[in-house]
Amino acid sequence: MNAELSELRDSARQVLAAEGLAAPEDKTWPLALDLGWLLVAVPEAQGGLGQGLAGACAFHAEMGRSLCAAPYLPAMLAMEAAIHAGREDWIERLGASGFVTAPLVDPTLTITDGGIVAGMASAVPSADRASHVLLGSEAGDCVALVALQQAGIDARHRETWDTTRRLFDLRFDNVAGDPSLVLARGNDAHVLSRRLATHRDFALAADAVGGAATALEMTVEYLKTRRQFGRPLALFQALKHRCADLKARIAAAEALLADSLVRVGTEVDSERAEALGKAAKSFAVSAYAAVAEEMLQLHGGIGMTAEHACHLFLKRALLDEQLGRCTSYELDVADTLLGAG
Amino acid sequence: MSQAPEALRTEVRAWLQNNIPRDWRAAMTGTDQDAFVRAQREWFGKLVKAGYATPHWPEGWPGGGRSLAEQKIIYEEVARADAPRLILFFVALYHAACTLIEWGTDEQKRAHLPGILDGKLWCQGFSEPNAGSDLAAVRTRAELRGDRYVINGQKIWSTLAQHADYCLLLVRTDTAGPPQAGLTYLLLDMRSKGVSVRPIAQITGDDEFSEIFLDDVEVPVSDRVGGEGQGWAVAQSTLASERGLTLVELSHRMRYALNRITGLMRARGVAGDAALRRDLGRLAPKVDAACALADQYLLKRIENTEAPGDASIVKLHYARTLRDFTALGLRIAGLQGQYREPFIRGGGMETGNWPFDFMNSYNWTIAGGSDEIQRNIIAERMLGMPREPKDWRL
């Protein structure tokens, strides 16, 4: 991580820590906008920080670390799309005040040549606050922004166990898109879709390693203070070893993520980047879930209470596992190594 | 990366291609220790000549004065080429040489460093039956009589000591005070009177380790490294001498060896088995993570940003992944894997003799600080969890 980025990252960490864990969207989203966090991956020539995907991931990790409720991830996907479709107008708009959301799983919809959108997009964060949604057709041949305030769109909030995200189902009943908002078609759209899916997987990996790190820190802190049998729980080797294993697992996920980001470099739209993102994401979210499960167990009864933060980590971890491209990645890896089964 | 490192990589790759002993795995299958030692000496000679055996030595020695980044390239290429590991010479090249370079007198360096390049073999005499993970509990006594120490005791788990010319010996010169403070570090000539070595038969069928019995063995005071009572500090630099390079090499070897698993699945006709495919798919990113951890750890050493516990994480993750790797091979091998086949001597951690590899993987979860010790280190030094009070005794 370069010095500029780590400085930005540290200041974001401080700001988010001051807001507290799982700080609400209406407090943290304005911060993200005001402090320029959406510009981290925008090239310097276009007024951004030019830190690329690795820079974006440093911020995604901070969102995870603080269980941030701001819809930073979908907004960054929209920004990535604007950057790579060469839409300076949208880069400016998204960086300044506009919010465009995007589904966190692949939508099942079609976009005709005439721009008619039909189908469904699930897991769309904070859609009620967004002016537009970034959509890719299932066939991968079109990526477009679609205005949300129009007839034929049914937006339904779906309450999730994870209260740090507000997800919507969007149903499109032959909605007429705006041709000027089509960002890519044909092969360009395939490449852009892959880029966006890759960014999404890496972002989820970063969210997971950030969340897992906080979860373990809080658990260790609790074990150091909680006393039973006349001694702090942290003195029991059985518990120390479990924490050490979790630490090693998080470190492995962080190392894989960092290594993969280096390998990807600027070729975020390559097939290799896509595979690396999937692996990094799967590895990280399963580590996050494991840490969050242990966090609750190691906190004992207090971890079962709604007022303690344990469940927030567990629920965000369990949701992270289901976002991105969660089709059995182990089998994809086996396909790569062995050929299709 | 600048041009120079890539040039080194190309050079090493070409050299290895032309110089690796052909079919060395086949030649080392079912062979005896003597043939293994001959083969290792031959390979060592070639590497010394090319300057690839001692890139970590100071400038002036063959190939010496290489940066850690350059050393890493050499190890990556050795792994990529599936070259034989120089295990017979490891203690000499790293433990002995680095300890002498850091702590030795000029006379000691003159006496021993050239000999290492000529093929003198060294072994490590640290562990004892009652001082394994708890190394500070060393009990082998050294009593100063005039200008010599007289030594009595027993060492164990000494790799390939049966072939060694010299031994890095950790002994107790003082029983008062904290246990670390009473240790002293000596260079022992294995031909000295009173030294006897007994190889230990291992569960793998190999006999890589030995016990060393020391019965009134005399060592001149001039063969002491560091001062009396400084043995613990000297031993720490011995143990740190390879600086993470071994796990770079081994984790990269494990990644290349994934094709042994896929090859086995095809050969056994189970390449389509969904459960095995899933296990393979789970293992491969873990192996990638092991490589990433080892690479990033080395980078930290290069940049001097290593933190306490970093090395423990690399080792713990590698050791657990190696166990998973070999266990998967063992399971795929099925009943066929249970029929005893000759093993490959010095063949590394993934030889394809799956029961051998599986049992050999315990080397990494037990030796060099067991997984349990690594977990203590991670918990106490990284996570800041309290140490057990020293006076807890049952």
Side-chain angles (χ1 to χ4, degrees):
Chain A
M1 195 177 288
N2 58 53
E4 188 187 2
L5 182 58
S6 75
E7 213 168 282
L8 288 166
R9 195 264 325 261
D10 291 349
S11 77
R13 184 174 298 185
Q14 265 180 7
V15 167
L16 287 167
E19 294 300 317
L21 273 182
E25 189 178 350
D26 48 8
K27 289 191 92 174
T28 48
W29 174 251
L31 282 175
L33 266 182
D34 293 349
L35 298 173
W37 296 348
L38 288 160
L39 300 175
V40 63
V42 175
E44 283 168 301
Q46 285 149 303
L49 303 173
Q51 298 285 349
L53 180 60
C57 283
F59 280 80
H60 289 304
E62 294 311 313
M63 300 295 145
R65 190 168 254 284
S66 59
L67 297 171
C68 185
Y72 183 70
L73 203 174
M76 286 295 278
L77 294 176
M79 185 62 99
E80 177 98 22
I83 295 167
H84 292 280
R87 295 295 295 259
E88 307 241 355
D89 51 340
W90 280 93
I91 296 174
E92 197 174 321
R93 175 166 168 182
L94 294 171
S97 60
F99 170 52
V100 169
T101 188
L104 300 185
V105 295
D106 289 342
T108 50
L109 48 76
T110 56
I111 306 175
T112 66
D113 287 347
I116 308 286
V117 183
M120 168 98 164
S122 297
V124 185
S126 308
D128 55 345
R129 293 176 181 230
S131 63
H132 294 72
V133 60
L134 172 70
L135 295 175
S137 65
E138 202 174 357
D141 57 353
C142 182
V143 177
L145 299 176
V146 175
L148 283 167
Q149 303 306 320
Q150 59 177 311
I153 301 178
D154 174 34
R156 186 163 303 173
H157 176 232
R158 302 289 305 272
E159 192 179 355
T160 46
W161 286 96
D162 174 18
T163 50
T164 66
R165 292 190 181 106
R166 293 183 310 111
L167 299 186
F168 287 74
D169 276 348
L170 300 180
R171 196 173 289 283
F172 299 86
D173 183 14
N174 293 313
V175 174
D178 177 347
S180 73
L181 296 183
V182 171
L183 300 179
R185 277 207 186 275
N187 192 50
D188 289 349
H190 282 284
V191 173
L192 183 56
S193 297
R194 188 162 61 217
R195 169 184 287 278
L196 295 170
T198 299
H199 186 129
R200 193 174 57 192
D201 279 344
F202 273 109
L204 289 164
D207 188 81
V209 298
T214 312
L216 181 59
E217 280 162 22
M218 288 177 63
T219 304
V220 168
E221 216 34 59
Y222 177 74
L223 294 176
K224 283 186 199 169
T225 29
R226 169 81 174 160
R227 292 178 77 90
Q228 290 281 274
F229 308 101
R231 66 188 72 146
L233 290 180
L235 207 49
F236 288 94
Q237 198 179 46
L239 308 186
K240 283 160 78 169
H241 281 195
R242 278 161 70 182
C243 292
D245 281 337
L246 296 175
K247 176 71 184 172
R249 192 153 175 192
I250 296 168
E254 285 169 343
L256 187 65
L257 172 60
D259 186 68
S260 303
L261 285 168
V262 170
R263 279 166 201 280
V264 168
T266 53
E267 284 162 20
V268 183
D269 56 14
S270 66
E271 280 177 35
R272 182 149 176 270
E274 184 181 25
L276 287 167
K278 264 187 193 174
K281 180 242 162 183
S282 301
F283 201 74
V285 295
S286 59
Y288 190 12
V291 172
E293 286 165 31
E294 282 284 76
M295 180 191 203
L296 204 158
Q297 179 64 29
L298 291 170
H299 275 77
I302 192 85
M304 293 284 287
T305 64
E307 72 182 289
H308 198 279
C310 283
H311 71 114
L312 300 176
F313 288 94
L314 183 61
K315 289 166 182 175
R316 183 147 165 151
L318 294 174
L319 178 58
D320 274 359
E321 279 193 296
Q322 300 307 324
L323 299 177
R325 293 199 192 168
C326 49
T327 51
S328 179
Y329 98 102
E330 290 103 339
L331 296 181
D332 290 349
V333 173
D335 285 351
T336 310
L337 292 170
L338 273 170
Chain B
M1 198 174 273
S2 69
Q3 190 52 39
E6 281 318 302
L8 174 66
R9 191 181 292 286
T10 312
E11 172 203 308
V12 176
R13 190 171 294 183
W15 186 88
L16 286 166
Q17 220 161 31
N18 295 324
N19 287 281
I20 288 180
R22 287 187 52 181
D23 300 325
W24 67 271
R25 287 187 176 274
M28 287 298 109
T29 304
T31 190
D32 58 17
Q33 282 266 10
D34 291 342
F36 166 69
V37 169
R38 276 198 305 277
Q40 283 270 306
R41 283 193 183 285
E42 207 171 304
W43 179 229
F44 174 74
K46 281 191 188 179
L47 285 163
V48 169
K49 230 169 152 184
Y52 298 144
T54 45
H56 58 294
W57 286 25
E59 216 156 332
W61 296 98
R66 293 267 190 205
S67 69
L68 204 47
E70 290 174 316
Q71 296 170 45
K72 178 168 184 273
I73 289 173
I74 295 174
Y75 273 94
E76 283 168 357
E77 289 304 311
V78 162
R80 183 178 185 275
D82 188 29
R85 297 188 65 209
L86 268 187
I87 52 172
L88 184 62
F89 293 89
F90 185 80
V91 175
L93 284 172
Y94 280 88
H95 293 164
C98 296
T99 307
L100 287 168
I101 289 164
E102 191 174 343
W103 290 88
T105 61
D106 287 343
E107 196 181 326
Q108 286 169 340
K109 288 180 204 171
R110 268 199 303 276
H112 293 296
L113 291 176
I116 290 174
L117 293 180
D118 292 339
K120 289 284 184 228
L121 295 174
W122 288 71
C123 65
Q124 194 194 85
F126 284 11
S127 294
E128 297 179 6
N130 285 306
S133 292
D134 182 9
L135 186 58
V138 156
R139 281 201 291 210
T140 292
R141 279 292 285 170
E143 274 179 68
L144 189 57
R145 285 188 207 152
D147 62 351
R148 3 207 79 215
Y149 287 103
V150 178
I151 299 153
N152 283 283
Q154 181 189 352
K155 294 291 174 177
I156 196 167
W157 316 130
S158 187
T159 304
L160 297 165
Q162 58 269 46
H163 305 293
D165 301 297
Y166 296 97
C167 176
L168 302 169
L169 191 67
L170 193 60
V171 293
R172 179 157 302 285
T173 42
D174 194 350
T175 49
Q180 284 90 343
L183 297 175
T184 297
Y185 200 107
L186 302 174
L187 307 173
L188 167 68
D189 186 335
M190 293 293 278
R191 290 163 308 184
S192 309
K193 197 165 154 268
V195 176
S196 49
V197 178
R198 190 175 69 90
I200 301 169
Q202 290 160 238
I203 59 171
T204 53
D206 203 347
D207 48 3
E208 248 183 12
F209 308 134
S210 286
E211 281 178 288
I212 304 172
F213 299 93
L214 303 159
D215 190 11
D216 282 330
V217 176
E218 296 189 3
V219 173
V221 172
S222 57
D223 287 344
R224 188 184 67 208
V225 183
E228 195 172 288
Q230 275 194 306
W232 182 258
V234 183
Q236 294 308 309
S237 45
T238 303
L239 295 173
S241 63
E242 56 82 33
R243 296 163 66 86
L245 287 163
T246 302
L247 281 177
V248 168
E249 181 197 343
L250 289 180
S251 56
H252 284 255
R253 280 186 188 265
M254 186 165 25
R255 179 145 69 190
Y256 292 116
L258 280 169
N259 67 20
R260 285 183 193 281
I261 301 252
T262 53
L264 179 69
M265 284 176 74
R266 289 198 191 97
R268 299 267 305 141
V270 293
D273 184 300
L276 293 177
R277 289 177 80 91
R278 184 172 290 269
D279 289 345
L280 172 65
R282 213 163 266 163
L283 174 67
K286 256 183 114 167
V287 176
D288 286 338
C291 293
L293 277 170
D295 290 349
Q296 287 166 32
Y297 174 68
L298 206 74
L299 198 67
K300 286 186 189 173
R301 295 211 66 153
I302 292 169
E303 294 172 346
N304 260 322
T305 54
E306 183 188 0
D310 284 344
S312 295
I313 285 190
V314 181
K315 180 173 186 280
L316 182 63
H317 181 81
Y318 172 79
R320 302 314 308 179
T321 305
L322 180 66
R323 176 68 41 75
D324 290 353
F325 184 105
T326 55
L328 178 59
L330 188 61
R331 247 179 47 241
I332 299 167
L335 177 60
Q336 288 307 315
Q338 297 298 315
Y339 299 124
R340 195 154 180 157
E341 296 283 346
F343 63 88
I344 304 174
R345 215 174 270 278
M349 306 314 294
E350 309 89 4
T351 66
N353 182 330
W354 297 101
F356 176 91
D357 291 344
F358 177 69
M359 289 182 274
N360 205 28
S361 73
Y362 280 84
N363 249 331
W364 274 96
T365 53
I366 295 174
S370 65
D371 283 2
E372 289 67 30
I373 294 293
Q374 307 304 337
R375 290 185 178 110
N376 281 349
I377 294 171
I378 295 166
E380 290 164 8
R381 299 192 204 160
M382 295 191 102
L383 301 176
M385 298 173 91
R387 296 185 69 134
E388 284 159 29
K390 284 213 187 301
D391 53 1
W392 271 12
R393 300 251 193 275
L394 285 178

